[in-house]
Amino acid sequence: MSKDFFYADPANISGQFLTIEGDESKHIVRVLRKSEGELLWVVDGVDRAYEVVIRSIQQHTVECEILSVHERFNETEIEVTLAVAVLKNPSRMEWLIEKGTELGIRRFIPVSTSRTVAHSPKENRLKKIAHSAMKQSGRSYLPQIYPITSMDSVMHHASVFDLKIIPYEHTDEALFIAEALRHRQKPTSALIVVGPEGGFTEDEIHAAEEAGFVQVSLGKRRLRTETAALVAASWVIGNY
Ligand code: SAH
């Protein structure tokens, strides 16, 4: 049987012990019917996984003793941030958060661009989706989901990333992403910026060029924003 992962708030982890509470503890006790002495895998959402043994089951909590700690458990070596034009259809954004979390993306930044129809994604719902995708995929890091950020601000903060990638379909010069990534010194962080349904404006592409972004092609077909985002992220993650 595949491993189940449970979540413990880092505030409830101290020394050799941790406490699982809320729905998580209900699930362990009432649904899975775990008992004292059984082993569990627990992640804390901030890069650590623990193998623990259940020591005591209370009405609303499960108290565990830590047997081993694993740093950056199942996390990618490269830290990928995905800045993606806000999607009109909220369910597509939810899909992207779920799949992107499974892939290993560490940060999602919804971006307002010149051709984005601005509206706010439901942050709490997106966080919940990231949370279950983290556990489901066995990650130890809960990806951060930022509030909507302007394209200008994304460009302004881009300099901290080793590798900056902008998939762009309206250029013959852009290399296919696999080519563009080849022979590059191994980056430790990457920022990928993906445009909206209406595409980037020339000004935005120009600004990205100035900020040191590499334009890449994802092939001859025009992909939807969320598809382009996942494809680009998987090339980057797979390559490093
Ligand atoms: N409106 C544009 C398509 C936008 S697709 C048009 O008329 O052609 C949404 C975003 O996905 C783009 O801004 C780009 O970042 C990315 N994208 C989609 N297909 C791509 C491809 N084949 N190569 C590179 N980027 C692509």
Side-chain angles (χ1 to χ4, degrees):
M1 215 180 85
S2 71
K3 235 185 257 171
D4 279 331
F5 291 92
F6 303 95
Y7 170 76
D9 190 313
N12 294 334
I13 304 173
S14 126
Q16 278 303 104
F17 295 90
L18 62 79
T19 305
I20 302 169
E21 53 183 18
D23 286 347
E24 203 80 355
S25 105
K26 249 191 251 166
H27 186 70
I28 293 172
V29 180
R30 303 217 189 122
V31 182
L32 303 172
R33 305 196 161 274
K34 300 268 181 196
S35 43
E36 286 156 19
E38 286 196 69
L39 301 181
L40 298 178
W41 277 89
V42 176
V43 293
D44 67 357
V46 287
D47 276 335
R48 252 165 247 112
Y50 302 87
E51 197 174 10
V52 305
V53 54
I54 301 177
R55 286 301 182 212
S56 97
I57 291 174
Q58 311 292 329
Q59 202 173 5
H60 300 290
T61 59
V62 174
E63 313 276 347
C64 306
E65 185 179 346
I66 296 169
L67 303 176
S68 61
V69 187
H70 306 260
E71 297 284 340
R72 281 193 77 99
F73 183 78
N74 285 350
E75 289 299 310
T76 60
E77 258 180 64
I78 185 167
E79 293 203 8
V80 174
T81 297
L82 178 65
V84 60
V86 177
L87 298 167
K88 252 195 270 172
N89 182 337
S91 70
R92 292 189 186 277
M93 191 66 187
E94 291 168 12
W95 183 88
L96 177 58
I97 298 286
E98 181 178 272
K99 302 306 161 205
T101 301
E102 290 171 31
L103 267 186
I105 290 169
R106 290 179 69 91
R107 223 182 274 134
F108 295 92
I109 309 179
V111 183
S112 61
T113 73
S114 305
R115 296 189 186 138
T116 306
V117 189
H119 78 309
S120 297
K122 291 196 181 105
E123 257 177 72
N124 278 343
R125 189 167 158 74
L126 295 182
K127 280 183 184 153
K128 259 196 189 156
I129 289 169
H131 200 272
S132 21
M134 166 186 72
K135 289 192 295 170
Q136 195 277 328
S137 60
R139 288 186 66 176
S140 54
Y141 188 74
L142 175 65
Q144 292 171 270
I145 301 170
Y146 278 50
I148 294 189
T149 305
S150 69
M151 186 72 173
D152 279 352
S153 169
V154 171
M155 292 299 131
H156 195 73
H157 292 99
S159 62
V160 299
F161 295 89
D162 288 350
L163 175 65
K164 298 175 273 291
I165 295 271
I166 189 159
Y168 185 49
E169 65 285 3
H170 290 301
T171 169
D172 295 331
E173 287 139 56
L175 289 175
F176 184 64
I177 187 164
E179 289 299 324
L181 297 178
R182 201 166 289 167
H183 308 308
R184 236 163 223 287
Q185 251 202 338
K186 197 173 168 158
T188 62
S189 63
L191 171 62
I192 303 168
V193 182
V194 181
E197 221 172 89
F200 287 119
T201 62
E202 278 184 28
D203 283 353
E204 285 167 341
I205 289 293
H206 184 68
E209 229 168 85
E210 302 267 282
F213 277 78
V214 184
Q215 285 177 30
V216 299
S217 158
L218 300 175
K220 289 188 179 147
R221 274 94 25 219
R222 181 175 56 201
L223 307 177
R224 279 187 180 277
T225 300
E226 68 276 18
T227 318
L230 271 204
V231 169
S234 47
W235 275 109
V236 170
I237 288 168
N239 206 63
Y240 300 110

